[in-house]
Amino acid sequence: MGIELSQLKDSEIKNLDLLAKQVVEGFITGMHKSPFHGFSVEFSEHKLYNKGESTRHIDWKLFAKTEKLYTKKYEEETNLRCHIIIDNSSSMHYPIKSTQQLNDLNKIGFSAVAAASLIEILKKQRDAVGLSIYSDTYEYYAPEKGSERHRKLLVSQLEQLLISKATSTTETYKYLHEIAEKIHRRSLIFVFTDMFQTNKDHEELFNALRHLKHNKHEVILFHTYDKQLEVNFNFDNTPKKFIDIETKQEINIYADTVKDNYKESIELFFKELKNKCLQYKISYVPVDINEGYSKILTSYLVSRNKF
């Protein structure tokens, strides 16, 4: 749904790298005051001491600060491989924005900033990261690497998403299958998508998600949407023309005449998606783009801890 998309002007987000650093630093500061303190980035190179272990690697300086026993972890224990997948289809360019601003992003803009923030925190953890972007084609692929040069290339690619135009329909299921075949070594996989597609039933989509779990990958689905418009259908009750961004189909309606049925259908789809993720052991994280990035970064730290 939405109006026809005109080409985006230059994004007002001039330096995505710097912005990601600010997001992560704010997140870390917030975590110091939260119940998630144990997952704080500063403890990424430590693990809780277990009785019976050698005391040789206990960090006594950290004990003086926290009054908890932590042992230092060797680098090979801390590094893992991560891959970020971003859906750049037309529906991800909703709501329409003439410019992307930090406090006024559409779904693709939010995903780009969130992904850049993940890459920044992955750098702090010294984890290798790769990136895939798809729309009506497989637009971009980079394998998992940990170098600073590689990280800058990925952030530069994400900056392009902030000024990209909507394309046509996408076959999400097709590209998820293709990406799954490219990631060979066990990885932590993040997927940013609204899960909308027009030409296949939901089961095809769910099967593609399940394919991402092969090779014992840990998968986190960031289900990205605008809650006010796409879930609650909060439009004033004046006659409007709704245009499907992907199919270009049009319908003239009063919002209130379809609101109840629409909400019932969308909530049913969300419930089905959540249940399928539970069935396939995929972490399902609903992401309202009007909220901040804490849920995304916390999901990474919790999953990393489990991984």
Side-chain angles (χ1 to χ4, degrees):
M1 69 187 126
I3 59 174
E4 290 286 349
L5 182 73
S6 59
Q7 185 170 359
L8 287 174
K9 301 174 184 176
D10 287 347
S11 167
E12 292 193 10
I13 298 175
K14 299 298 183 184
N15 190 328
L16 185 56
D17 201 7
L18 178 60
L19 174 59
K21 285 182 172 67
Q22 292 172 343
V23 168
V24 170
E25 290 306 317
F27 169 71
I28 293 171
T29 300
M31 287 192 73
H32 289 169
K33 304 171 184 176
S34 79
F36 287 102
H37 184 72
F39 291 114
S40 181
V41 173
E42 67 199 51
F43 293 120
S44 64
E45 309 307 326
H46 297 80
K47 59 183 177 182
L48 279 170
Y49 172 76
N50 293 316
K51 289 183 179 179
E53 288 184 332
S54 169
T55 59
R56 183 173 55 171
H57 299 298
I58 289 177
D59 190 329
W60 295 108
K61 289 183 179 179
L62 192 55
F63 173 75
K65 291 181 182 178
T66 64
E67 296 185 358
K68 292 182 180 179
L69 291 173
Y70 289 91
T71 57
K72 295 179 181 179
K73 295 170 71 175
Y74 294 103
E75 186 167 332
E76 62 268 22
E77 291 183 89
T78 65
N79 295 154
L80 57 80
R81 303 167 65 84
C82 303
H83 199 89
I84 299 172
I85 302 170
I86 299 180
D87 174 1
N88 189 31
S89 61
S90 293
S91 62
M92 288 289 286
H93 288 255
Y94 185 80
I96 309 304
K97 304 291 179 184
S98 59
T99 57
Q100 300 273 22
Q101 302 176 59
L102 180 58
N103 296 319
D104 189 25
L105 295 164
N106 59 20
K107 289 184 286 185
I108 195 62
F110 181 93
S111 298
V113 175
S117 301
L118 272 175
I119 290 171
E120 175 64 21
I121 205 168
L122 288 165
K123 180 183 77 169
K124 288 181 176 292
Q125 306 287 79
R126 294 204 291 273
D127 293 338
V129 59
L131 177 66
S132 289
I133 301 171
Y134 68 89
S135 56
D136 55 345
T137 61
Y138 197 157
E139 294 182 3
Y140 183 80
Y141 168 76
E144 301 79 24
K145 295 181 182 179
S147 71
E148 179 65 10
R149 180 176 179 274
H150 178 73
R151 188 189 67 82
K152 287 185 179 295
L153 284 173
L154 300 190
V155 173
S156 176
Q157 196 66 38
L158 294 173
E159 285 179 334
Q160 294 303 307
L161 289 180
L162 293 169
I163 56 173
S164 64
K165 294 190 298 181
T167 57
S168 56
T169 59
T170 188
E171 297 175 331
T172 290
Y173 75 97
K174 172 183 175 182
Y175 295 111
L176 290 184
H177 281 304
E178 196 170 331
I179 293 166
E181 292 296 332
K182 282 182 174 287
I183 306 172
H184 301 295
R185 292 177 60 185
R186 185 172 180 239
S187 301
L188 185 56
I189 299 176
F190 306 101
V191 186
F192 289 89
T193 177
D194 55 14
M195 292 296 288
F196 292 147
Q197 63 176 31
T198 59
N199 58 350
K200 287 285 180 178
D201 62 26
H202 293 164
E203 203 58 41
E204 288 271 18
L205 204 49
F206 299 148
N207 285 337
L209 280 176
R210 184 169 58 181
H211 191 183
L212 287 176
K213 285 287 292 183
H214 87 311
N215 286 342
K216 299 181 179 178
H217 299 312
E218 183 78 19
V219 180
I220 304 174
L221 174 63
F222 292 124
H223 186 201
T224 311
Y225 55 86
D226 185 316
K227 185 174 182 179
Q228 287 300 310
L229 300 179
E230 294 183 309
V231 179
N232 296 335
F233 208 66
N234 282 343
F235 297 92
D236 62 77
N237 197 36
T238 57
K240 285 183 173 58
K241 177 187 287 187
F242 289 87
I243 305 173
D244 188 302
I245 293 179
E246 298 209 359
T247 67
K248 307 305 180 187
Q249 290 180 316
E250 301 179 8
I251 184 171
N252 295 296
I253 55 170
Y254 287 87
D256 283 0
T257 61
V258 299
K259 187 172 184 175
D260 290 343
N261 288 337
Y262 172 87
K263 288 183 67 176
E264 183 179 342
S265 295
I266 202 77
E267 286 168 5
L268 184 63
F269 172 62
F270 276 41
K271 183 178 180 180
E272 183 182 12
L273 176 58
K274 185 177 180 180
N275 287 339
K276 284 293 183 181
C277 287
L278 186 65
Q279 178 183 339
Y280 300 151
K281 294 182 172 58
I282 292 171
S283 297
Y284 173 76
V285 183
V287 177
D288 177 8
I289 63 171
N290 300 300
E291 296 178 351
Y293 301 96
S294 292
K295 185 185 289 187
I296 290 164
L297 298 179
T298 300
S299 295
Y300 156 70
L301 290 177
V302 172
S303 297
R304 190 186 197 283
N305 189 61
K306 291 193 305 183
F307 197 84

